C-alpha cells in the first residue's frame, strides 16, 4: 500500500491540486524535494561491511567496533547531507579521520587490503566533500 501512496504523490506533486489537498498527500512533500547522498550511504556501507568482514575472517573485535562506529557516523553524515547539502561536517570529519588512520596503517604495512582501500576511499570522500563545500549555492 505504501508504494501506491508514493506513486500518487509523485504524480500529483507538481500540480496545483497538491497544494490544496488534504494532509495525507502533503506528508511526502518534503521527501520528494530531498536529494539523497547515495555516495555517502555507499561509503558508510563499505566501512561497516569492512568491519564485519574483518571480524568474520580474523575474529577482530576492534575491527568490528571501529567499522560499526565509523560506518554509523558516515551514515549519519550522509543523512545530514541528504537533508541539508551544506551540512557536511560530520561526513568530512569521519572521512578525514579514517583517511588519516588508515593511511598511517597503509604506510606502515604497505598492504592495499584493507588499509589502502579504506585510505583511498576516504580520501576520495574528503575530495568530494571539499568540492561540495567550495561550490557556490544554486539559486532556485
Amino acid at each position: 500500500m505504501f508504494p501506491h501512496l508514493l506513486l500518487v504523490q509523485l504524480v500529483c506533486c507538481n500540480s496545483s491540486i497538491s497544494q490544496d489537498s488534504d494532509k495525507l498527500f502533503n506528508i511526502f512533500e518534503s521527501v520528494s524535494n530531498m536529494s539523497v547522498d547515495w555516495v555517502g550511504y555507499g561509503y558508510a556501507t563499505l566501512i561497516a561491511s569492512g568491519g564485519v568482514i574483518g571480524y568474520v575472517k580474523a575474529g577482530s573485535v576492534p575491527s568490528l567496533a571501529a567499522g560499526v562506529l565509523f560506518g554509523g557516523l558516515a551514515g549519519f553524515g550522509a543523512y545530514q547531507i541528504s537533508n541539508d547539502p551544506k551540512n557536511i561536517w560530520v561526513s568530512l570529519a569521519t572521512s578525514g579521520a579514517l583517511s588519516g588512520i588508515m593511511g598511517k596503517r597503509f604506510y606502515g604495512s604497505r598492504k592495499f587490503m584493507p588499509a589502502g582501500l579504506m585510505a583511498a576511499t576516504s580520501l576520495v570522500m574528503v575530495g568530494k566533500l571539499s568540492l561540495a563545500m567550495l561550490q557556490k549555492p544554486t539559486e532556485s
Side-chain angles (χ1 to χ4, degrees), residues 70 88-98 129:
F70 280 102
I88 65 166
W89 301 109
V90 173
S91 288
L92 189 61
T94 303
S95 59
L98 267 179
L129 294 167

Side-chain angles (χ1 to χ4, degrees), residues 10-26:
L10 290 174
V11 170
C12 297
C13 70
N14 289 330
S15 67
S16 61
I17 297 171
S18 72
Q19 294 174 356
D20 297 327
S21 66
D22 54 72
K23 292 189 186 261
L24 177 65
F25 294 118
N26 288 332

Side-chain angles (χ1 to χ4, degrees), residues 73-95:
L73 285 171
F76 178 67
Y79 172 75
Q80 284 186 324
I81 291 173
S82 295
N83 288 328
D84 181 13
K86 295 180 280 184
N87 194 3
I88 65 166
W89 301 109
V90 173
S91 288
L92 189 61
T94 303
S95 59

Side-chain angles (χ1 to χ4, degrees), residues 33-49:
N33 294 332
M34 183 171 68
S35 65
V36 178
D37 183 21
W38 292 112
V39 175
Y41 284 123
Y43 175 65
T45 304
L46 179 70
I47 295 168
S49 63

